[in-house]
Amino acid sequence: MEQRKYEAGRGRGRTTRCVVAALLLSVASAQLRYSISEGVNEGTVVGNLVKDLGLDKSTLKSRKYRVVSAGADPLFHVNENDGVLYVARKIDREEVCSQSSVCLINVKTVLETPLEVHDIGVEVLDINDHSPNFSEAEKILEISESVLPGARFQLKPARDLDSGQFSVQQYKLSQNDHFRLEVRDKEDDGKVPILVLQKSLDREAARSHFLLLTALDGGKPPKSGEMKIIVNVLDVNDNTPIFSMNDYSVTLIENAPQGSIVIQINATDLDEGQNGEIVFSFGNSVNSNIFNIFDINESTGQITVKGLVDYEQKDKYEIEIQASDKGLAPLTAEKNVIIKIIDVNDNAPEIEITSLSSSVPEDSRPGTTVALISVNDLDSGVNGKVICSINEDLPFSLMPSLRDKMFSLVTKSPLDRENTSHYDLTITAKDAGQPSLSAVKTITVSVSDVNDNSPEFLQSPYTFYITEGNEPGAKMFSVKAFDRDESNNAFISYHIVREGHGDNKLISFLNINSETGDIVALKSFDFETLKTFRFQVVASDSGTPTLSSNVTVNVFILDQNDNAPVILYPVSSNGSAEGVEEIPRNVNAGHLVTKVRAYDADIGYNGWLLFSLQEVSDHSLFGLDRYTGQIRTLRSFTETDEAEHKLVILVKDNGNVSLSATATVIVKLVEPKEAFAASDVKSAAKDDEDTNVTFYLMITLGSVSVLFIISIIVLIAMQCSKSPDYTSKYLQETNYDGTLCHSIQYRSGDKRYMLVGPRMSIGSTIVPGSHANTLVLPDRRRTSEEPKAPGSDWRYSASLRAGGVMQSSVHMEESSVMQGAQGVLVQNWPTASSAADGEGGEVSPPMGAGVDSNSWHFRYGPGGPGAPPQHLKPGEVPPEAFIIPGSPAIISIRQNQGGEDDKSDFITFGKKEEAKKKKKKKKEKEKKDKKDKGKDDGDE
């Protein structure tokens, strides 16, 4: 049933809809149109429907006159009282008719009972209430800077909700240099703006361009809308890197440590991105050595020290630096960097011997060039300025050459090879840097020899002593010379000067080895015939020209014991050594019987004779003085003594091999009267003999005087010339008492020599020795030399004392002459002038001095010289003769002939007071001796 009701209802509904549709079709044919402007206020009258449709105003309400609208918020409503159509709300045409150029709104009004529908068309008129609007407020365009002019870029058009003339009518573009605007009309889209490129873009000049596009509608005044256009210029690698400086120049100290920053290189690239990223590197033209010295940071462009920077290798570096971007096609720029190296004093000077003479003659003049020396310092400026020098104490100097840093080594003073044969020269080169560096080089300069030195003998003059009886042809001695030159200039040959020599006959027996200087004699020499001789030897070198020198050779012959003693008395008529002596029987003890006199041609110990009784009948009767040969009685004769006594006296010398002779004396005892008669006979014979002897003595004395005067003259001449000389003097005691004494003096150079013959007193003893009779004395002519002061232990050798051993040669500092009265032996004695004051000492003279004394004691100490010489008897020696000249010496002589010493037997000289006392004592003793002698004569 419900279904039937539903179907019946559906049927009725369908019928109603059909009726309404039919009515609408009928109204549509007569549609009413109104127009209003958009945006009118609510309640604005659109139109009077009652009037325009012809409706009954009174029925409108009853018939429910209304506007039918599908929406909940209708745009219009109708007043059912008066039938006027009002605006229900504000109408926005762009909202209602957004897509239509004509905005027509259909409004349906309905009247019920009967149903009546009217379509009313309301056209909403547009007003310019909207501005043009761009869909984007800001438009960003990215355009590559490589785009060519003429390129077109279409922009989105602006939209204006208004229509017609109030829609977008035109576009405007802000002023710019690169773009212009074109507008194209499109039916659907309206006016479309197009951006056209009229000038090439440059990103480096302007990275972005800001444009303003304005859209204008047709309103009066027009409304507009704007859109910002940002044109970003896309980069193209069209710019090469640019260095920040036109010139890069820097100074760098040499030997800078590794890692030191040299310079910072900066470059820019106007491009961006990888096109603007720069990579630094050394250029392709850079020498490979640069890579070992410097390094560059490819990102920062910082150049640092990598290796050794040496100014001496290179003082300036010009390095090409390359800057490249990272574009697909990289662009590159180059720039030279100049690095100047500042020198530091890190190099010592170098010395080079350019030229050096192997040797320099010693006669080279000052200024002779020896070597050329060049110096070099790799440093520069002050550091390279070099000063050269050598030792100032050498005869060489450095002279600057014309060329820089060249020096000449020249001699500055004469050379002498003999003093210095070579020189080690130390050359010092010093630069002027701070701190200063120096170099040292040593060269050796040899001095070559020239023959500028004559041969020189080791001694001048030569003095040789040879013993007599030398072997002919055997080497006697040799001379030696040396030459300070070398090689042939020093090769010496010897020869003896034979021409113009006074002893040519003697010199002819001498021969010399020309190479060794050994001298031989072709004959044997005899001291008794030749005491000394001299000759000259010449030494010549082998240089050119030859130089030579000569030397005087003094030869002294030394005595040998080759002569036996000769008995002078007694001698018989047949020549035998026999004699008869008669003496009174009543003589006392000590009576002089006779004196045996003997002579030995030798000298010194060889000629010193000693007497001894070889055979005697009664030893208690006679005594013999061993030194004087005096025979004296030892006691008085008795009646039992025999009347005749035979004495055999042995006379022998003191040579090493003693030679001897014997003499026989027969002593007869007679009565006193017979003795006087015999004495008278002897006196007569003696007077005859004395007469002959006196005659001969006068002749001898005259000859000796003449020779003495000549010798004095020669001596004075020699003293004036001061040339080495020698003199020989034989001093003979004319009134000898049994022993003949000799004293030979000679001079050689600055020394004097004396050979002393024997003369001793009874009781003196000495051990014989060869050549012990020679004293070597200094030349007293050299008065300019002061005597040397001896030490505190100054003493004469004990061998000079009595009983000691005589030395073969004694060298004294000075000599004084000990001289007695006429006929007394002249003897040289040493002086104590060099003894220190206040010192005391004792000196005993050698034996054989010719003074009768058992022993002498020379005491030196304070005291003055003695009194003037006195006239003494033969055989006596004055005390003054023993005073040492120039010295306060005190000399004591023992007078006692006995064996025992007694203080009273000594006479001391030196001080005047003591000399007087000793004189007085001596006179008393002489008086006593005379008395004793007178008694003896009376007994005879």
Side-chain angles (χ1 to χ4, degrees):
M1 182 174 206
E2 289 179 0
Q3 185 175 3
R4 285 193 300 271
K5 287 179 179 180
Y6 177 71
E7 289 179 357
R10 288 185 61 186
R12 289 192 299 268
R14 290 176 182 171
T15 305
T16 302
R17 284 197 294 267
C18 291
V19 171
V20 172
L23 289 174
L24 288 174
L25 287 174
S26 63
V27 174
S29 59
Q31 182 176 11
L32 180 66
R33 292 188 64 175
Y34 296 99
S35 63
I36 61 173
S37 297
E38 66 173 330
V40 295
N41 295 327
E42 182 181 353
T44 299
V45 176
V46 178
N48 193 338
L49 296 178
V50 173
K51 181 180 179 180
D52 294 332
L53 291 176
L55 298 178
D56 184 7
K57 182 177 180 181
S58 60
T59 61
L60 293 176
K61 187 172 181 181
S62 57
R63 294 181 66 182
K64 298 182 182 178
Y65 190 48
R66 61 182 184 276
V67 174
V68 178
S69 175
D73 187 15
L75 296 176
F76 302 98
H77 71 91
V78 65
N79 190 336
E80 60 182 4
N81 292 324
D82 54 8
V84 177
L85 183 64
Y86 295 95
V87 176
R89 61 181 177 87
K90 217 174 208 183
I91 300 172
D92 186 3
R93 178 183 179 277
E94 290 74 25
E95 182 181 353
V96 177
C97 306
S98 60
Q99 300 296 327
S100 299
S101 59
V102 178
C103 181
L104 184 62
I105 301 174
N106 293 317
V107 179
K108 291 180 179 182
T109 63
V110 177
L111 293 173
E112 296 180 358
T113 316
L115 179 62
E116 183 178 352
V117 177
H118 297 278
D119 290 325
I120 300 168
V122 179
E123 180 179 4
V124 180
L125 299 176
D126 187 24
I127 64 174
N128 194 18
D129 60 346
H130 290 86
S131 297
N133 184 33
F134 289 94
S135 59
E136 296 175 340
E138 184 178 87
K139 177 65 175 179
I140 297 176
L141 296 178
E142 291 183 348
I143 303 175
S144 173
E145 60 179 332
S146 61
V147 173
L148 298 176
R152 301 164 68 87
F153 304 94
Q154 183 174 325
L155 303 175
K156 290 183 179 181
R159 299 298 179 183
D160 196 334
L161 296 179
D162 298 327
S163 62
Q165 64 177 357
F166 298 116
S167 63
V168 176
Q169 298 298 316
Q170 62 177 345
Y171 291 94
K172 289 183 178 181
L173 186 64
S174 60
Q175 184 66 34
N176 67 92
D177 295 332
H178 297 275
F179 297 94
R180 63 185 176 86
L181 185 64
E182 289 185 1
V183 179
R184 178 182 298 176
D185 288 332
K186 289 186 177 181
E187 293 182 0
D188 296 335
D189 297 329
K191 296 181 180 298
V192 177
I194 298 174
L195 202 62
V196 180
L197 179 66
Q198 64 178 2
K199 182 180 179 181
S200 298
L201 298 175
D202 186 0
R203 194 202 67 82
E204 290 70 35
R207 180 171 299 187
S208 299
H209 297 272
F210 297 94
L211 305 177
L212 183 62
L213 181 62
T214 304
L216 299 174
D217 57 17
K220 293 182 180 180
K223 290 182 182 265
S224 63
E226 295 178 348
M227 180 178 66
K228 293 179 180 180
I229 301 175
I230 298 175
V231 178
N232 291 327
V233 182
L234 298 179
D235 184 45
V236 175
N237 194 19
D238 58 347
N239 289 278
T240 58
I242 299 174
F243 291 91
S244 60
M245 298 175 63
N246 293 329
D247 297 313
Y248 285 96
S249 180
V250 69
T251 58
L252 177 66
I253 190 169
E254 73 168 319
N255 300 328
Q258 293 185 4
S260 300
I261 298 175
V262 179
I263 191 173
Q264 175 69 51
I265 304 298
N266 293 316
T268 58
D269 193 326
L270 297 177
D271 297 326
E272 65 178 358
Q274 290 189 343
N275 296 332
E277 293 183 10
I278 298 175
V279 177
F280 296 94
S281 63
F282 291 126
N284 297 327
S285 62
V286 172
N287 192 297
S288 59
N289 292 333
I290 299 298
F291 292 92
N292 298 326
I293 301 174
F294 300 101
D295 191 16
I296 186 170
N297 189 308
E298 65 177 11
S299 299
T300 63
Q302 190 177 75
I303 298 177
T304 56
V305 176
K306 181 180 179 182
L308 176 63
V309 179
D310 191 355
Y311 174 88
E312 289 67 40
Q313 291 184 359
K314 198 169 185 179
D315 61 349
K316 179 181 177 182
Y317 294 91
E318 188 171 352
I319 306 173
E320 182 184 79
I321 303 300
Q322 181 175 288
S324 302
D325 57 29
K326 295 183 178 181
L328 295 177
L331 298 179
T332 303
E334 293 82 15
K335 184 68 67 175
N336 287 334
V337 176
I338 297 175
I339 302 175
K340 296 179 180 178
I341 308 302
I342 299 176
D343 183 39
V344 295
N345 194 24
D346 60 341
N347 289 278
E350 297 177 356
I351 303 174
E352 180 181 357
I353 308 302
T354 305
S355 174
L356 176 63
S357 300
S358 59
S359 62
V360 181
E362 61 177 323
D363 59 349
S364 299
R365 294 182 177 180
T368 301
T369 300
V370 178
L372 291 178
I373 299 169
S374 64
V375 295
N376 185 37
D377 195 320
L378 297 177
D379 297 323
S380 63
V382 176
N383 296 332
K385 186 176 181 180
V386 181
I387 300 173
C388 273
S389 62
I390 61 172
N391 315 50
E392 294 184 357
D393 56 344
L394 297 177
F396 297 92
S397 63
L398 284 175
M399 301 295 293
S401 179
L402 295 177
R403 294 180 58 187
D404 187 29
K405 296 185 179 180
M406 288 287 293
F407 297 87
S408 299
L409 179 65
V410 299
T411 58
K412 70 176 182 181
S413 60
L415 305 177
D416 189 357
R417 189 206 63 82
E418 288 69 39
N419 288 334
T420 307
S421 61
H422 71 280
Y423 294 90
D424 293 325
L425 303 180
T426 300
I427 302 171
T428 303
K430 187 176 182 181
D431 61 28
Q434 292 295 333
S436 180
L437 299 178
S438 61
V440 175
K441 193 175 188 68
T442 301
I443 63 174
T444 299
V445 177
S446 299
V447 181
S448 60
D449 184 48
V450 296
N451 193 22
D452 59 345
N453 289 279
S454 302
E456 298 179 16
F457 285 93
L458 298 179
Q459 300 180 28
S460 181
Y462 274 95
T463 301
F464 296 104
Y465 301 90
I466 61 173
T467 58
E468 62 177 330
N470 58 294
E471 181 182 353
K475 173 186 172 182
M476 296 189 300
F477 46 80
S478 65
V479 295
K480 190 68 177 177
F482 66 93
D483 195 320
R484 293 193 295 169
D485 297 322
E486 64 179 359
S487 189
N488 289 335
N489 297 332
F491 183 76
I492 299 175
S493 60
Y494 305 90
H495 69 274
I496 297 175
V497 178
R498 303 182 188 276
E499 296 79 8
H501 201 285
D503 296 334
N504 281 339
K505 185 175 180 181
L506 178 63
I507 301 301
S508 63
F509 290 99
L510 300 177
N511 196 8
I512 188 170
N513 189 316
S514 62
E515 295 181 358
T516 63
D518 295 339
I519 298 176
V520 298
L522 303 179
K523 61 172 289 186
S524 180
F525 298 106
D526 185 8
F527 175 81
E528 286 71 35
T529 59
L530 179 65
K531 303 294 187 296
T532 180
F533 64 92
R534 69 165 57 176
F535 61 94
Q536 286 190 331
V537 175
V538 176
S540 304
D541 59 27
S542 300
T544 304
T546 300
L547 300 179
S548 62
S549 61
N550 54 26
V551 68
T552 299
V553 180
N554 297 317
V555 181
F556 296 93
I557 311 300
L558 299 180
D559 183 38
Q560 291 284 81
N561 193 21
D562 58 348
N563 291 281
V566 177
I567 304 298
L568 299 179
Y569 182 85
V571 179
S572 64
S573 58
N574 60 2
S576 61
E578 294 181 359
V580 178
E581 296 291 337
E582 294 180 351
I583 61 173
R585 182 181 287 274
N586 61 348
V587 296
N588 295 327
H591 176 74
L592 178 63
V593 178
T594 187
K595 176 186 281 188
V596 178
R597 297 187 175 116
Y599 169 76
D600 195 321
D602 299 321
I603 66 169
Y605 287 106
N606 297 327
W608 179 25
L609 302 181
L610 297 178
F611 302 86
S612 62
L613 289 173
Q614 186 177 17
E615 181 181 344
V616 62
S617 58
D618 190 347
H619 289 282
S620 65
L621 283 177
F622 301 99
L624 177 65
D625 190 318
R626 65 177 303 186
Y627 298 110
T628 63
Q630 293 179 351
I631 301 175
R632 294 181 181 272
T633 59
L634 299 178
R635 61 179 175 84
S636 299
F637 293 99
T638 64
E639 296 295 334
T640 59
D641 292 330
E642 296 181 1
E644 183 176 322
H645 297 273
K646 180 180 180 181
L647 304 177
V648 179
I649 293 90
L650 176 66
V651 182
K652 66 177 181 179
D653 57 29
N654 280 274
N656 287 334
V657 178
S658 180
L659 302 179
S660 63
T662 59
T664 302
V665 177
I666 298 175
V667 180
K668 293 182 178 181
L669 302 180
V670 298
E671 295 301 325
K673 294 180 179 180
E674 296 177 359
F676 285 128
S679 175
D680 292 337
V681 174
K682 288 183 179 180
S683 297
K686 186 175 182 182
D687 290 338
D688 295 336
E689 182 180 353
D690 290 342
T691 301
N692 295 331
V693 170
T694 301
F695 175 73
Y696 292 123
L697 286 175
M698 291 177 63
I699 295 175
T700 302
L701 182 61
S703 301
V704 170
S705 300
V706 172
L707 292 175
F708 178 73
I709 293 172
I710 294 173
S711 299
I712 292 299
I713 294 172
V714 172
L715 179 60
I716 292 173
M718 291 169 58
Q719 291 283 8
C720 293
S721 62
K722 291 187 178 180
S723 61
D725 56 19
Y726 69 94
T727 58
S728 298
K729 183 183 295 183
Y730 298 90
L731 303 176
Q732 179 174 344
E733 182 184 1
T734 57
N735 190 16
Y736 57 85
D737 58 354
T739 301
L740 193 60
C741 303
H742 301 274
S743 175
I744 299 176
Q745 303 179 63
Y746 48 87
R747 188 188 310 278
S748 175
D750 59 349
K751 299 179 181 179
R752 289 193 302 161
Y753 302 86
M754 177 179 66
L755 303 178
V756 183
R759 179 179 175 87
M760 299 301 294
S761 299
I762 298 176
S764 299
T765 60
I766 192 165
V767 178
S770 61
H771 318 314
N773 54 329
T774 303
L775 297 178
V776 183
L777 306 176
D779 190 357
R780 294 193 59 178
R781 297 177 302 163
R782 301 173 62 184
T783 57
S784 61
E785 297 182 3
E786 297 181 358
K788 300 178 181 179
S792 59
D793 59 346
W794 180 85
R795 299 290 185 273
Y796 283 106
S797 172
S799 62
L800 295 177
R801 299 178 181 273
V805 178
M806 287 287 290
Q807 300 298 319
S808 60
S809 178
V810 182
H811 185 194
M812 306 298 179
E813 291 195 6
E814 194 177 358
S815 68
S816 65
V817 177
M818 182 183 300
Q819 184 173 359
Q822 182 180 2
V824 177
L825 176 64
V826 176
Q827 179 64 57
N828 286 349
W829 284 107
T831 69
S833 61
S834 59
D837 293 340
E839 291 186 354
E842 212 176 75
V843 178
S844 296
M847 298 299 100
V851 179
D852 294 334
S853 63
N854 187 28
S855 67
W856 294 355
H857 299 275
F858 288 74
R859 294 186 177 91
Y860 53 92
Q870 301 177 4
H871 296 285
L872 303 176
K873 295 180 181 181
E876 293 182 349
V877 180
E880 294 80 10
F882 295 91
I883 300 303
I884 300 174
S887 172
I890 300 175
I891 304 174
S892 297
I893 301 178
R894 189 176 65 185
Q895 296 291 98
N896 185 17
Q897 300 298 325
E900 295 181 359
D901 291 339
D902 186 16
K903 293 184 179 179
S904 62
D905 293 332
F906 287 88
I907 300 176
T908 303
F909 308 99
K911 295 184 179 179
K912 290 184 178 180
E913 293 80 6
E914 294 191 9
K916 290 180 181 179
K917 293 179 181 179
K918 299 304 177 183
K919 265 186 174 183
K920 184 176 180 181
K921 189 174 181 180
K922 185 177 180 182
K923 287 180 179 179
E924 292 176 354
K925 190 172 181 66
E926 288 178 352
K927 289 179 180 180
K928 186 177 180 181
D929 291 341
K930 286 181 180 179
K931 290 179 180 180
D932 294 340
K933 188 174 182 181
K935 291 179 180 181
D936 293 341
D937 293 340
D939 293 340
E940 293 176 358

